[in-house]
Amino acid sequence: MLQRPYSLDVSAQLLRTEGFIDGRWVSAASTFPVLDPATGEEIAKVSNCGTKEAQDAVNAAYKAFHLWKSHTAKERSILLRKWFDLIIQHRDDLAKLITAECGKPMKESLGEITYSASFLEWFSEEARRVYGDIVAPSAKDRKILLLKQPVGVASIITPWNFPSAMITRKVGAALAVGCTVVVKPAEDTPLSALALAELSVQAGIPPGVFNVVPCSREKTPAVGELLCTDPLVAKISFTGSTATGKILLRHAAGTVKKVSMELGGHAPFIVFDSADVDKAVAGAMASKFRNSGQTCVCSNRFLVQSGIHDAFMEKLAKAMDGELKIGHGSEPTTTQGPLINTRAAEKVEGQVADAVAQGAVVVRGGKRLEGSFMQPTLLSNVTTDMLCMREETFGPLIPVVKFNTEQEALAIANASPVGLAGYFYSRDISQIWRVAEQMEVGMVGVNEGLISAAEASFGGIKQSGLGREGSKYGIDEYLEVKYMCLGGLSP
């Protein structure tokens, strides 16, 4: 079943395979394959853009910026809303593209499209709410005004795990305030980005405002460097690994660009004795196994207090047996698709082997399957020095550490150089406030395993990044505040 060929049955209009620059579809000198991660089969060949195409896209975006920023906020709002409407209209086909190139089960892909569209809807509304300030001056002959203006061209570099939503979350904010963008999608998942480009045309987004430069893994370093160093680029927004983020920050330093970075996480998931165990199990299932454990905010380190440890483990194991089904994402009953590639599966396999070698016990799963599939795995007797507790997994692995006190759990949870998301379950209101305030993360889920929403700020602290996306704060990442002193006035 896992090797069944997948027919990509989507509208030809949305299956685009060329780069999109200055409102035109552009072929490159070569192509690279996009593979179905469930079967390894080629589903499309996409133009392999290089530094020339990236430079052309930056130039087009810079030229378009001077026209786009002069549109009224209402005009930009209307166009973003049209784009939102088109995404909802083509939801099924867009979800099929995600399942094909990313491997997600269709139910999750449909959910991503709804989530993706929500950012265009949200920022279409926020476009008209970018307010400056009039400040009381200290002198009677002047007025102090603070104006908010778009920064300019933004380079948008996105990952494969949310190939649609990671684009709209950034681009929606950028376009709302008058910036223009060049998007470099992940090499594994360019089809979703190109489909968004097609719908942007249909929505009436002007040429050069939204550009997409797909490229292979081999060309990514050079294209990424250009997009982060070109003097015409004013802003970089990146979602991906902390290691790559540090490279891009070094590139950005040369011209002191404005940057926002959503980098790696290693989310703790704490279950206290005071928790509702059934709700904690349901939250663990939702947080860990969505997209087969391949989300930035997936729970990675599970800490369960000794008083309810055994009950939690028993109920979690039963939930895994009853609710998880491995298969191709296009199968209606599939809940667990493949990992993005064999390298990802090998990483999870290596973490399991390391843990077992140090005394961990495999309660469920533990085996690598064919291709890039991995059994959902539950480990007990885990210690903090095991690899799975020190490195982000990005796969369907639940390692459980038993702890005794709240202070012990917080010490383990905070002993990480990253701090994107964290989760905990408790019915003790005093404990809820204490732990939520002390967890060193940018986002906290209290008695909830799924926390992302367009209205809420998304981002981390420590080495999990800089800045925020979504919410009313996400739009600030694409604005500069200009101080205008109007003097010489009659008192």
Side-chain angles (χ1 to χ4, degrees):
M1 179 189 67
L2 303 184
Q3 294 300 316
R4 181 182 66 79
Y6 180 40
S7 174
L8 187 51
D9 178 25
V10 302
S11 165
Q13 198 174 36
L14 291 179
L15 184 55
R16 292 289 186 170
T17 58
E18 297 174 299
F20 184 69
I21 300 171
D22 202 15
R24 296 177 291 108
W25 296 101
V26 176
S27 295
S30 61
T31 62
F32 67 98
V34 178
L35 307 179
D36 178 349
T39 65
E41 294 184 357
E42 182 178 302
I43 55 178
K45 287 186 182 296
V46 173
S47 289
N48 193 8
C49 295
T51 53
K52 178 189 180 301
E53 289 81 9
Q55 185 68 68
D56 290 345
V58 169
N59 292 343
Y62 185 74
K63 180 181 178 182
F65 169 64
H66 297 285
L67 297 174
W68 181 242
K69 71 176 181 179
S70 68
H71 280 58
T72 66
K74 183 176 181 180
E75 289 170 336
R76 294 194 297 267
S77 173
I78 289 170
L79 291 176
L80 285 173
R81 178 70 198 203
K82 287 181 179 178
W83 200 4
F84 159 80
D85 289 336
L86 286 165
I87 290 175
I88 296 299
Q89 179 184 331
H90 294 280
R91 181 171 175 254
D92 289 351
D93 276 356
L94 294 171
K96 289 177 183 176
L97 287 174
I98 291 176
T99 292
E101 63 182 350
C102 178
K104 284 185 183 180
M106 269 299 292
K107 182 179 178 181
E108 290 191 26
S109 295
L110 288 165
E112 178 178 343
I113 294 303
T114 300
Y115 181 54
S116 174
S118 75
F119 288 106
L120 296 184
E121 180 183 40
W122 173 259
F123 286 117
S124 74
E125 296 162 347
E126 288 296 291
R128 302 182 68 182
R129 297 179 177 85
V130 177
Y131 305 138
D133 296 292
I134 298 177
V135 180
S138 57
K140 295 180 180 180
D141 65 344
R142 66 187 59 187
K143 297 294 183 184
I144 293 175
L145 296 88
L146 304 182
L147 313 178
K148 290 186 178 180
Q149 297 182 318
V151 298
V153 176
S155 292
I156 307 294
I157 303 175
T158 57
W160 50 263
N161 58 337
F162 285 87
S164 182
M166 293 302 94
I167 293 173
T168 58
R169 191 162 71 189
K170 301 170 187 293
V171 169
L175 268 56
V177 301
C179 294
T180 55
V181 301
V182 178
V183 176
K184 194 211 83 65
E187 63 272 10
D188 293 300
T189 56
L191 301 179
S192 292
L194 296 171
L196 288 175
E198 168 59 32
L199 293 180
S200 77
V201 174
Q202 295 181 29
I205 304 293
V209 172
F210 181 73
N211 304 274
V212 181
V213 183
C215 66
S216 64
R217 180 178 297 274
E218 291 72 27
K219 288 192 176 182
T220 288
V223 169
E225 182 174 354
L226 186 144
L227 293 178
C228 294
T229 57
D230 191 283
L232 298 184
V233 173
K235 158 79 181 183
I236 301 164
S237 181
F238 169 72
T239 296
S241 72
T242 298
T244 301
K246 290 177 180 179
I247 294 171
L248 300 187
L249 280 168
R250 284 194 287 270
H251 288 327
T255 47
V256 196
K257 298 188 191 304
K258 190 177 179 75
V259 297
S260 53
M261 299 268 159
E262 192 259 285
L263 307 178
H266 196 23
F269 187 104
I270 308 172
V271 186
F272 291 104
D273 283 345
S274 59
D276 180 319
V277 176
D278 291 329
K279 289 183 178 178
V281 167
M285 293 290 291
S287 176
K288 178 74 260 186
F289 294 117
R290 186 166 57 114
N291 196 21
S292 298
Q294 300 174 109
T295 82
C296 308
V297 292
C298 265
S299 300
N300 276 277
R301 298 172 292 152
F302 286 74
L303 313 174
V304 183
Q305 199 158 12
S306 54
I308 51 114
H309 175 273
D310 292 351
F312 177 84
M313 294 295 287
E314 181 182 351
K315 290 186 175 186
L316 181 56
K318 286 181 179 178
M320 290 173 65
D321 290 341
E323 298 176 25
L324 302 181
K325 186 176 186 302
I326 299 173
H328 195 288
S330 62
E331 295 286 350
T333 58
T334 293
T335 67
Q336 299 295 286
L339 300 190
I340 190 63
N341 50 42
T342 55
R343 295 187 305 277
E346 288 165 359
K347 179 180 180 181
V348 182
E349 185 181 27
Q351 287 193 357
V352 172
D354 170 80
V356 170
Q358 297 187 61
V361 175
V362 177
V363 179
R364 290 292 187 277
K367 294 181 180 178
R368 166 90 178 275
L369 304 176
E370 57 187 307
S372 59
F373 284 88
M374 183 77 194
Q375 283 184 333
T377 300
L378 175 61
L379 299 178
S380 65
N381 287 12
V382 174
T383 59
T384 57
D385 54 353
M386 293 176 181
L387 197 58
C388 58
M389 291 293 290
R390 293 185 286 111
E391 293 183 359
E392 185 176 21
T393 301
F394 242 63
L397 169 61
I398 294 184
V400 179
V401 172
K402 184 191 293 187
F403 71 90
N404 293 311
T405 68
E406 179 183 306
Q407 293 73 22
E408 180 187 356
L410 280 167
I412 296 171
N414 292 337
S416 172
V418 296
L420 188 57
Y423 308 85
F424 69 92
Y425 278 72
S426 170
R427 286 179 289 189
D428 180 335
I429 191 66
S430 296
Q431 183 175 59
I432 285 172
W433 278 109
R434 285 195 308 271
V435 174
E437 290 180 343
Q438 291 181 54
M439 287 185 81
E440 296 175 359
V441 295
M443 298 173 281
V444 182
V446 183
N447 298 325
E448 179 56 61
L450 299 175
I451 60 175
S452 299
E455 302 85 354
S457 63
F458 192 104
I461 62 173
K462 300 196 280 192
Q463 293 187 37
S464 281
L466 303 166
R468 292 295 181 266
E469 295 183 339
S471 80
K472 67 177 183 179
Y473 299 106
I475 213 161
D476 292 339
E477 300 291 331
Y478 297 89
L479 290 167
E480 297 283 12
V481 178
K482 176 184 285 185
Y483 162 41
M484 173 182 168
C485 180
L486 181 58
L489 302 177
S490 299

Short mmCIF file of all heavy atoms in Angstrom, two decimals, residues 293-320:
data_model
loop_
_atom_site.label_atom_id
_atom_site.label_comp_id
_atom_site.label_asym_id
_atom_site.label_seq_id
_atom_site.Cartn_x
_atom_site.Cartn_y
_atom_site.Cartn_z
N GLY A 293 4.78 14.32 13.33
CA GLY A 293 5.78 14.92 14.21
C GLY A 293 6.66 15.95 13.56
O GLY A 293 7.66 16.36 14.14
N GLN A 294 6.29 16.41 12.37
CA GLN A 294 7.14 17.33 11.62
C GLN A 294 6.58 18.75 11.63
O GLN A 294 6.31 19.33 10.58
CB GLN A 294 7.29 16.85 10.18
CG GLN A 294 7.91 15.46 10.06
CD GLN A 294 7.90 14.95 8.63
OE1 GLN A 294 8.92 14.85 7.97
NE2 GLN A 294 6.72 14.64 8.12
N THR A 295 6.40 19.32 12.81
CA THR A 295 6.03 20.72 12.90
C THR A 295 6.99 21.44 13.84
O THR A 295 7.61 20.81 14.72
CB THR A 295 4.59 20.94 13.42
OG1 THR A 295 4.57 20.86 14.84
CG2 THR A 295 3.62 19.91 12.84
N CYS A 296 7.12 22.74 13.65
CA CYS A 296 8.05 23.53 14.46
C CYS A 296 7.67 23.51 15.94
O CYS A 296 8.52 23.67 16.81
CB CYS A 296 8.06 24.98 13.98
SG CYS A 296 8.35 25.18 12.22
N VAL A 297 6.36 23.37 16.21
CA VAL A 297 5.89 23.44 17.59
C VAL A 297 5.49 22.07 18.14
O VAL A 297 4.83 21.97 19.17
CB VAL A 297 4.70 24.42 17.71
CG1 VAL A 297 5.17 25.85 17.47
CG2 VAL A 297 3.56 24.04 16.77
N CYS A 298 5.91 21.00 17.47
CA CYS A 298 5.64 19.65 17.98
C CYS A 298 6.26 19.46 19.36
O CYS A 298 7.38 19.89 19.61
CB CYS A 298 6.25 18.59 17.06
SG CYS A 298 5.11 17.93 15.87
N SER A 299 5.53 18.78 20.23
CA SER A 299 6.12 18.39 21.52
C SER A 299 7.25 17.40 21.26
O SER A 299 7.12 16.49 20.45
CB SER A 299 5.07 17.72 22.40
OG SER A 299 4.00 18.62 22.64
N ASN A 300 8.37 17.59 21.97
CA ASN A 300 9.52 16.72 21.77
C ASN A 300 9.94 16.01 23.05
O ASN A 300 10.28 14.84 23.04
CB ASN A 300 10.71 17.51 21.24
CG ASN A 300 10.68 17.68 19.75
OD1 ASN A 300 11.11 16.79 19.01
ND2 ASN A 300 10.15 18.79 19.28
N ARG A 301 9.90 16.75 24.16
CA ARG A 301 10.36 16.20 25.44
C ARG A 301 9.15 16.07 26.37
O ARG A 301 8.59 17.07 26.80
CB ARG A 301 11.41 17.12 26.05
CG ARG A 301 12.67 17.27 25.19
CD ARG A 301 13.58 18.35 25.74
NE ARG A 301 13.00 19.68 25.59
CZ ARG A 301 13.27 20.70 26.40
NH1 ARG A 301 14.09 20.54 27.43
NH2 ARG A 301 12.72 21.87 26.19
N PHE A 302 8.77 14.84 26.67
CA PHE A 302 7.59 14.60 27.49
C PHE A 302 8.01 14.32 28.94
O PHE A 302 8.82 13.42 29.19
CB PHE A 302 6.80 13.42 26.93
CG PHE A 302 6.04 13.78 25.69
CD1 PHE A 302 6.70 13.95 24.48
CD2 PHE A 302 4.67 13.97 25.71
CE1 PHE A 302 6.02 14.30 23.32
CE2 PHE A 302 3.98 14.32 24.57
CZ PHE A 302 4.64 14.48 23.36
N LEU A 303 7.49 15.11 29.84
CA LEU A 303 7.83 15.02 31.26
C LEU A 303 6.53 14.72 32.01
O LEU A 303 5.59 15.52 31.97
CB LEU A 303 8.43 16.34 31.75
CG LEU A 303 9.53 16.96 30.87
CD1 LEU A 303 9.94 18.32 31.38
CD2 LEU A 303 10.73 16.03 30.77
N VAL A 304 6.47 13.59 32.69
CA VAL A 304 5.24 13.15 33.36
C VAL A 304 5.53 12.91 34.83
O VAL A 304 6.45 12.17 35.18
CB VAL A 304 4.66 11.89 32.69
CG1 VAL A 304 3.34 11.50 33.36
CG2 VAL A 304 4.46 12.10 31.19
N GLN A 305 4.72 13.54 35.69
CA GLN A 305 4.95 13.43 37.13
C GLN A 305 4.66 12.02 37.61
O GLN A 305 3.79 11.31 37.10
CB GLN A 305 4.10 14.46 37.87
CG GLN A 305 4.59 14.74 39.28
CD GLN A 305 4.09 16.09 39.80
OE1 GLN A 305 3.22 16.73 39.23
NE2 GLN A 305 4.66 16.54 40.92
N SER A 306 5.40 11.61 38.62
CA SER A 306 5.40 10.21 39.05
C SER A 306 4.03 9.70 39.49
O SER A 306 3.71 8.52 39.27
CB SER A 306 6.41 10.02 40.19
OG SER A 306 6.16 10.94 41.24
N GLY A 307 3.20 10.57 40.06
CA GLY A 307 1.91 10.11 40.56
C GLY A 307 0.95 9.63 39.49
O GLY A 307 0.09 8.78 39.77
N ILE A 308 1.06 10.17 38.28
CA ILE A 308 0.15 9.76 37.20
C ILE A 308 0.90 9.16 36.02
O ILE A 308 0.32 8.89 34.97
CB ILE A 308 -0.72 10.95 36.73
CG1 ILE A 308 0.17 12.16 36.41
CG2 ILE A 308 -1.75 11.32 37.76
CD1 ILE A 308 0.18 12.54 34.99
N HIS A 309 2.19 8.93 36.18
CA HIS A 309 3.02 8.44 35.08
C HIS A 309 2.48 7.16 34.48
O HIS A 309 2.31 7.04 33.25
CB HIS A 309 4.46 8.23 35.57
CG HIS A 309 5.36 7.61 34.55
ND1 HIS A 309 5.48 6.23 34.40
CD2 HIS A 309 6.20 8.15 33.62
CE1 HIS A 309 6.34 5.97 33.43
NE2 HIS A 309 6.80 7.12 32.94
N ASP A 310 2.21 6.16 35.28
CA ASP A 310 1.80 4.86 34.75
C ASP A 310 0.45 4.93 34.05
O ASP A 310 0.27 4.33 32.98
CB ASP A 310 1.76 3.82 35.88
CG ASP A 310 3.16 3.50 36.43
OD1 ASP A 310 4.15 3.96 35.82
OD2 ASP A 310 3.24 2.82 37.48
N ALA A 311 -0.47 5.68 34.63
CA ALA A 311 -1.79 5.82 34.01
C ALA A 311 -1.68 6.54 32.67
O ALA A 311 -2.34 6.16 31.69
CB ALA A 311 -2.73 6.58 34.94
N PHE A 312 -0.85 7.57 32.62
CA PHE A 312 -0.65 8.31 31.37
C PHE A 312 -0.06 7.41 30.30
O PHE A 312 -0.53 7.40 29.16
CB PHE A 312 0.26 9.52 31.62
CG PHE A 312 0.58 10.30 30.38
CD1 PHE A 312 -0.30 11.28 29.91
CD2 PHE A 312 1.76 10.08 29.68
CE1 PHE A 312 0.00 12.01 28.77
CE2 PHE A 312 2.07 10.81 28.54
CZ PHE A 312 1.18 11.78 28.08
N MET A 313 0.96 6.65 30.65
CA MET A 313 1.61 5.77 29.68
C MET A 313 0.65 4.73 29.14
O MET A 313 0.61 4.44 27.94
CB MET A 313 2.82 5.09 30.32
CG MET A 313 3.95 6.05 30.68
SD MET A 313 4.73 6.83 29.25
CE MET A 313 5.67 5.46 28.56
N GLU A 314 -0.16 4.16 30.01
CA GLU A 314 -1.11 3.13 29.58
C GLU A 314 -2.15 3.70 28.63
O GLU A 314 -2.43 3.12 27.57
CB GLU A 314 -1.80 2.52 30.80
CG GLU A 314 -2.80 1.42 30.46
CD GLU A 314 -3.50 0.87 31.69
OE1 GLU A 314 -3.11 1.21 32.83
OE2 GLU A 314 -4.46 0.09 31.49
N LYS A 315 -2.68 4.86 28.97
CA LYS A 315 -3.72 5.46 28.12
C LYS A 315 -3.13 5.98 26.80
O LYS A 315 -3.78 5.91 25.75
CB LYS A 315 -4.43 6.58 28.88
CG LYS A 315 -5.30 6.07 30.02
CD LYS A 315 -6.10 7.19 30.67
CE LYS A 315 -7.05 6.62 31.72
NZ LYS A 315 -7.95 7.65 32.28
N LEU A 316 -1.93 6.51 26.86
CA LEU A 316 -1.29 6.99 25.64
C LEU A 316 -1.00 5.84 24.69
O LEU A 316 -1.24 5.94 23.47
CB LEU A 316 -0.01 7.74 25.97
CG LEU A 316 0.77 8.33 24.79
CD1 LEU A 316 -0.10 9.26 23.96
CD2 LEU A 316 2.03 9.06 25.29
N ALA A 317 -0.51 4.74 25.20
CA ALA A 317 -0.23 3.57 24.36
C ALA A 317 -1.51 3.07 23.69
O ALA A 317 -1.51 2.73 22.50
CB ALA A 317 0.40 2.46 25.20
N LYS A 318 -2.61 3.04 24.44
CA LYS A 318 -3.89 2.59 23.87
C LYS A 318 -4.37 3.57 22.80
O LYS A 318 -4.92 3.15 21.76
CB LYS A 318 -4.93 2.46 24.97
CG LYS A 318 -4.74 1.25 25.88
CD LYS A 318 -5.83 1.17 26.93
CE LYS A 318 -5.65 -0.06 27.82
NZ LYS A 318 -6.68 -0.13 28.89
N ALA A 319 -4.19 4.86 23.03
CA ALA A 319 -4.59 5.85 22.04
C ALA A 319 -3.78 5.70 20.75
O ALA A 319 -4.34 5.78 19.65
CB ALA A 319 -4.42 7.26 22.61
N MET A 320 -2.49 5.44 20.88
CA MET A 320 -1.66 5.23 19.70
C MET A 320 -2.12 4.01 18.92
O MET A 320 -2.19 4.03 17.69
CB MET A 320 -0.19 5.09 20.11
CG MET A 320 0.42 6.39 20.62
SD MET A 320 2.10 6.19 21.29
CE MET A 320 3.01 5.69 19.82
#
